[in-house]
Amino acid sequence: MAITITLSPEDTKKLAERAAAAGQDVLVYVQQIVKRDIARPVPQDIDEILAPLREEFARSGISDEELLADINAARDEYRAESRKRTS
């Protein structure tokens, strides 16, 4: 099957750069991207999407409370830095 796509000049340039970095012709590079994408199973629901993250979290040994504290600390730090930039 032949497929034609239209890319902006900027996207065309980026695609050519990535293909060159991979040592491939642009057509071969695009074919590999498409093959890799369609070979991946499509997640069916949010639980399936989050499963790897949940497994990693379980392996980490961190508690829910510790995670929440880390998230809140990062949020507060971000907000403080953001206030400094806008002041």
Side-chain angles (χ1 to χ4, degrees), residues 1 22 48 54:
M1 172 194 312
E48 191 174 340
R54 289 179 175 142

Side-chain angles (χ1 to χ4, degrees), residues 9 17-18 23 26 30 33 39 41 43-45 47 49 52 57 69-71 73 77-78:
E17 289 170 354
R18 291 208 179 173
V26 172
V30 170
I33 291 171
Q44 299 301 312
D45 57 25
D47 287 329
I49 293 168
F57 178 73
D70 287 348
I71 292 171
E77 181 180 333
Y78 173 80

Side-chain angles (χ1 to χ4, degrees), residues 40-56:
R40 272 187 297 165
V42 177
Q44 299 301 312
D45 57 25
I46 192 72
D47 287 329
E48 191 174 340
I49 293 168
L50 293 176
L53 181 62
R54 289 179 175 142
E55 290 170 11
E56 184 178 334

Side-chain angles (χ1 to χ4, degrees), residues 75-87:
R75 180 203 59 213
D76 295 343
E77 181 180 333
Y78 173 80
R79 287 179 177 169
E81 290 175 11
S82 181
R83 277 189 227 109
K84 287 179 188 176
R85 285 192 300 269
T86 58
S87 301

Side-chain angles (χ1 to χ4, degrees), residues 4-77:
T4 302
I5 62 171
T6 303
L7 299 173
S8 69
E10 181 181 310
D11 288 343
T12 301
K13 180 181 176 194
K14 288 178 184 177
L15 181 61
E17 289 170 354
R18 291 208 179 173
Q24 297 175 333
D25 174 76
V26 172
L27 179 60
V28 172
Y29 183 73
V30 170
Q31 287 172 334
Q32 286 183 346
I33 291 171
V34 171
K35 285 179 182 180
R36 185 174 49 234
D37 186 73
I38 62 176
R40 272 187 297 165
V42 177
Q44 299 301 312
D45 57 25
I46 192 72
D47 287 329
E48 191 174 340
I49 293 168
L50 293 176
L53 181 62
R54 289 179 175 142
E55 290 170 11
E56 184 178 334
F57 178 73
R59 283 192 304 271
S60 75
I62 190 170
S63 70
D64 290 346
E65 292 78 18
E66 290 170 314
L67 177 62
L68 184 57
D70 287 348
I71 292 171
N72 288 335
R75 180 203 59 213
D76 295 343
E77 181 180 333

